[in-house]
């Protein structure tokens, strides 16, 4: 009896004290959940079908407009296939492409992509960089733009050619520039295009067949691109005139064009420098399109891929770092400043490359000079590259560093580099004199086979080579190292495999040389 009274008292106490608390807590949770639901705008509720055949971009736009009118929120694209033309982003919008969801680019015949916007700034860069509205997903002058989710953006009907747009801006006849806007066209050729946006996050999505650019960002600040997979026919991501950008944990397969590509064009009407850029923990490759995603990773002849600074480089690149990246079946690392800008304070660390058929590392300045009112000379300085393995590098070129006769590349340091060239260079190759790049397009193939299979440097000042090991798979009759027109060459612990009768290095017009701990270079005399 006593126990029953105690139980009754406890029950009464629980009902009086804890039940109101639980009720209040549940009410608060309910309010929070209701609030969360109110801030999620499911595109299905705005008429999207997700059946892959009905054009769903108008419904997606209605969801974005409603979210924007509410002050912002998440636009949810649930599982399904959403045939789409241009989707128009707005500020404070999170476009969430959920697992199992695909935004599928409509065929060009539906005329579902926006027309090109007016452009009359001159074709100092190719037409693809001049137009943004003719994209699958685009935004301009926005703040707080978020595209995330474990779904896919499939470019579908996007085209990768930019020939029509090149003609519209006069890309091949940029001087004097065409300043009259061309009639607009409907030619969807980009998966994601953002211009002059701030606080941008693109995360976790997969982009397949992204047209000319899977992602094009121009003049954007404070941007993060993380854990994005791109398997596409042309460029993966182009970062043009942007500041404070982080690209991390991305896989980019782009067999026909560049993978991760910082640029500095005049698309905004003036040279815009790309600065404060970090690229970390990424993979670039040049397998056949689609075979990264399906896991077969089929090789392609003469693949592109790579991480490349350039070609457009009117403003330049400053305060950039690359770390912990892999290259596979693609071209190597390219740092190009050829349009009168500055490339300075670049650090690159921990790279591995396999099967890079064209070259390993390419650093160059030039005088292409596609910049309005240009009064400066392309200049590169303070570039540190360390801890790099390159295996299976094409015989044309290993590492090449090329400045201008009137303005050398300055302050380059290569440290702890191992390069394995495919070899096969001939005695004729060993005596070749590569032409000056001048106004030409910056690509190693334009200069042909170089007279050194390991490192070739010309027009440089303050070049440091530390802990360098170069070798070949097949006998190569070229020296391991060649330097021409160098002032201040410091070499420490240089090791090289040599074919019988081949000298280790050639030095021409080289002064202020210091060589340490490098027996293979004993007896090599600067000329």
């Amino acid at each position: 009896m006593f126990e029953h009274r105690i139980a009754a008292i406890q029950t009464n106490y629980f009902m009086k004290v804890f039940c109101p608390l639980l009720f209040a807590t549940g009410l608060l949770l309910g309010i929070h959940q209701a609030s969360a639901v109110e801030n999620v705008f499911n595109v299905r509720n705005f008429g999207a079908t997700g059946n892959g055949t009905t054009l769903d971009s108008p419904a997606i736009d209605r969801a974005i407009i409603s979210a924007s009118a509410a002050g912002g929120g998440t636009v949810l694209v649930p599982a399904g296939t959403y045939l789409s033309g241009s989707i128009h982003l707005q500020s404070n919008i999170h476009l969430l492409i959920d697992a199992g969801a695909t935004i599928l680019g409509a065929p060009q015949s539906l005329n579902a992509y926006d027309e090109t916007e007016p452009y009359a700034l001159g074709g100092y860069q190719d037409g693809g960089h001049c137009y943004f509205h003719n994209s699958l997903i685009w935004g301009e002058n926005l703040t707080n733009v978020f595209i995330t989710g474990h779904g896919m953006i499939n470019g579908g009907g996007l085209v990768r050619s930019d020939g029509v747009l090149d003609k519209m801006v006069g890309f091949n006849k940029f001087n004097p520039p065409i300043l009259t806007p061309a009639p607009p066209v409907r030619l969807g050729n980009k998966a994601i295009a953002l211009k002059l946006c701030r606080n941008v996050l693109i995360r976790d999505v997969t982009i397949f067949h992204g047209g000319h650019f899977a992602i094009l960002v121009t003049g954007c600040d404070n941007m993060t691109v993380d854990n994005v997979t791109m398997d596409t026919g042309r460029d993966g991501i182009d970062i043009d005139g942007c500041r404070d950008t982080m690209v991390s944990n991305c896989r980019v397969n782009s067999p026909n064009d560049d993978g991760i590509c910082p640029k500095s064009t005049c698309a905004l009407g003036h040279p815009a420098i790309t600065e404060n850029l970090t690229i970390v923990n990424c993979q670039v490759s040049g397998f056949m399109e689609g075979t990264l995603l399906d896991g077969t990773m089929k090789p392609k002849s003469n693949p592109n891929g790579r991480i490349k600074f350039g070609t457009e480089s009117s403003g330049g690149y400053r305060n950039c770092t690359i770390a912990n990246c892999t290259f596979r079946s693609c071209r190597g690392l390219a740092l190009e400043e050829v349009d009168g800008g500055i490339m300075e304070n670049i650090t690159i660390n921990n790279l591995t490359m396999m099967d890079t058929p064209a070259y390993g590392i390419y650093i160059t300045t030039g005088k292409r000079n596609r910049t309005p009112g240009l009064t400066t000379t392309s200049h590169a300085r303070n570039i540190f590259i360390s801890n790099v393995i390159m295996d299976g590098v094409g015989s044309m070129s290993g590492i090449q560093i090329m400045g201008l006769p009137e303005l050398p590349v300055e302050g380059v340091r290569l440290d702890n580099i191992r390069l394995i060239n495919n070899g096969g260079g001939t005695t004729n190759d060993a005596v070749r004199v590569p032409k000056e790049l001048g106004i030409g397009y910056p690509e190693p193939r334009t200069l042909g086979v170089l007279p050194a299979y390991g490192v070739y440097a010309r027009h440089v000042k303050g070049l440091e080579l530390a802990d360098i090991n170069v070798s070949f798979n097949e006998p190569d009759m070229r020296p391991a190292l060649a330097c021409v027109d160098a002032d201040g060459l410091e070499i420490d612990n240089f090791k090289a495999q040599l074919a019988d009768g081949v000298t280790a290095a050639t030095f021409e017009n080289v002064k202020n040389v210091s060589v340490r701990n490098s027996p293979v270079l004993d007896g090599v005399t600067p000329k």
Side-chain angles (χ1 to χ4, degrees):
M1 185 69 177
F2 179 76
E3 291 81 356
H4 289 302
R5 292 184 62 189
I6 294 295
I9 292 171
Q10 290 175 334
T11 300
N12 187 43
Y13 180 80
F14 178 85
M15 295 294 291
K16 289 182 177 180
V17 175
F18 287 99
C19 281
L21 290 175
L22 289 173
F23 176 77
T25 302
L27 182 61
L28 289 173
L29 287 173
I31 292 172
H32 174 74
Q33 290 170 351
S35 177
V37 169
E38 289 172 3
N39 285 323
V40 175
F41 298 79
N42 190 323
V43 299
R44 297 276 185 147
N45 296 334
F46 293 83
T49 65
N51 62 17
T53 57
T54 301
L55 190 67
D56 282 329
S57 45
I60 297 173
D61 275 345
R62 288 193 292 271
I64 292 173
I65 292 169
S66 294
S68 179
T74 296
V75 173
L76 174 64
V77 183
T81 299
Y82 299 83
L83 187 69
S84 297
S86 292
I87 295 170
H88 307 90
L89 298 175
Q90 296 196 27
S91 294
N92 302 313
I93 295 299
H94 174 197
L95 181 63
L96 175 57
I97 308 170
D98 209 357
T102 298
I103 293 179
L104 175 62
Q108 300 289 328
S109 59
L110 287 184
N111 290 322
Y113 300 103
D114 289 348
E115 292 182 335
T116 52
E117 65 269 35
Y119 180 87
L121 300 173
Y124 296 98
Q125 57 284 318
D126 66 57
H129 279 285
C130 300
Y131 300 104
F132 298 83
H133 297 183
N134 57 320
S135 303
L136 180 55
I137 301 171
W138 70 270
E140 184 174 349
N141 289 307
L142 304 179
T143 302
N144 301 329
V145 178
F146 313 106
I147 303 172
T148 76
H150 296 283
M152 175 179 285
I153 299 170
N154 182 337
L158 293 177
V159 299
R160 71 184 197 186
S161 171
D162 58 350
V164 172
L165 305 182
D166 286 349
K167 292 179 181 179
M168 290 170 60
V169 301
F171 176 60
N172 295 321
K173 298 178 180 179
F174 74 98
N175 192 14
I178 294 176
L179 301 179
T180 302
V185 298
R186 292 187 187 274
L187 187 70
N189 74 336
K190 290 173 274 288
I192 298 175
L194 300 175
K195 178 182 178 183
L196 297 172
C197 295
R198 181 167 178 79
N199 299 339
V200 176
L201 172 66
I202 304 174
R203 173 175 285 160
D204 295 334
V205 296
T206 295
I207 303 175
F208 171 66
H209 192 67
H212 187 174
F213 305 98
I215 301 175
L216 173 63
V217 285
T218 301
C220 295
D221 294 345
N222 194 24
M223 178 175 62
T224 298
V225 180
D226 179 61
N227 195 36
V228 175
T229 298
M230 296 168 242
D231 194 342
T232 188
R234 287 199 64 184
D235 284 25
I237 175 171
D238 278 32
I239 304 156
D240 180 11
C242 297
R243 299 181 300 179
D244 305 321
T245 300
M246 170 79 73
V247 179
S248 58
N249 307 307
C250 292
R251 294 153 297 279
V252 185
N253 184 59
S254 55
N256 304 305
D257 219 318
D258 303 316
I260 301 174
C261 191
K263 289 190 176 182
S264 178
T265 74
C266 293
L268 299 176
H270 57 84
I273 194 167
T274 291
E275 59 183 340
N276 306 337
L277 167 67
T278 298
I279 300 170
V280 63
N281 301 337
C282 291
Q283 301 175 354
V284 292
S285 58
F287 303 115
M288 293 180 65
E289 185 186 21
T291 65
L292 176 67
L293 289 179
D294 69 19
T296 58
M297 292 183 285
K298 296 178 181 177
K300 178 186 179 295
S301 62
N302 192 28
N304 204 316
R306 69 182 166 182
I307 297 175
K308 170 188 170 182
F309 285 47
T311 301
E312 289 84 358
S313 47
S314 296
Y317 316 96
R318 181 169 56 212
N319 199 32
C320 303
T321 187
I322 302 171
N324 307 337
C325 292
T326 66
F327 297 61
R328 187 68 185 267
S329 294
C330 62
R331 298 177 186 175
L333 172 71
L335 306 177
E336 305 171 359
E337 175 49 71
V338 296
D339 290 324
I342 178 72
M343 179 165 60
E344 65 178 352
N345 303 342
I346 313 294
T347 65
I348 298 166
N349 185 38
N350 291 351
L351 306 182
T352 64
M353 304 182 191
M354 288 185 64
D355 306 323
T356 53
Y359 61 88
I361 296 173
Y362 176 53
I363 304 172
T364 192
T365 53
K367 294 187 286 189
R368 194 182 71 147
N369 294 349
R370 280 183 172 264
T371 303
L374 184 64
T375 59
T376 57
T377 301
S378 298
H379 191 193
R381 64 186 181 190
N382 299 339
I383 299 171
F384 287 14
I385 302 176
S386 61
N387 302 323
V388 180
I389 297 174
M390 293 169 277
D391 190 357
V393 177
S395 60
M396 181 178 67
S397 170
I399 300 171
Q400 59 176 292
I401 307 167
M402 303 276 205
L404 294 169
E406 65 273 28
L407 188 58
V409 171
E410 184 176 0
V412 173
R413 179 179 176 88
L414 304 181
D415 191 349
N416 197 25
I417 309 288
R418 182 177 293 267
L419 182 148
I420 305 170
N421 196 299
N422 289 335
T426 67
T427 54
N428 288 335
D429 294 332
V431 297
R432 287 192 73 249
V433 178
K435 66 180 181 179
E436 298 286 349
L437 177 62
I439 64 173
Y441 187 83
E443 194 67 56
R445 66 174 180 268
T446 63
L447 304 181
V449 176
L450 294 183
Y453 81 83
V455 180
Y456 182 84
R458 183 171 66 184
H459 309 316
V460 296
K461 182 178 181 180
L463 174 62
E464 301 174 53
L465 305 176
D467 298 319
I468 308 295
N469 187 313
V470 297
S471 60
F472 44 71
N473 290 321
E474 298 293 334
D476 200 298
M477 303 307 295
R478 296 172 293 176
L481 169 65
C483 292
V484 180
D485 184 25
D487 182 1
L489 174 61
E490 184 175 334
I491 302 174
D492 187 11
N493 193 28
F494 186 91
K495 298 178 181 178
Q497 180 183 8
L498 298 173
D500 292 342
V502 175
T503 186
T506 61
F507 295 156
E508 179 181 346
N509 190 24
V510 177
K511 57 186 179 181
N512 299 318
V513 181
S514 172
V515 179
R516 300 187 300 271
N517 306 313
S518 306
V520 73
L521 298 178
D522 289 349
V524 176
T525 304
K527 296 180 181 180

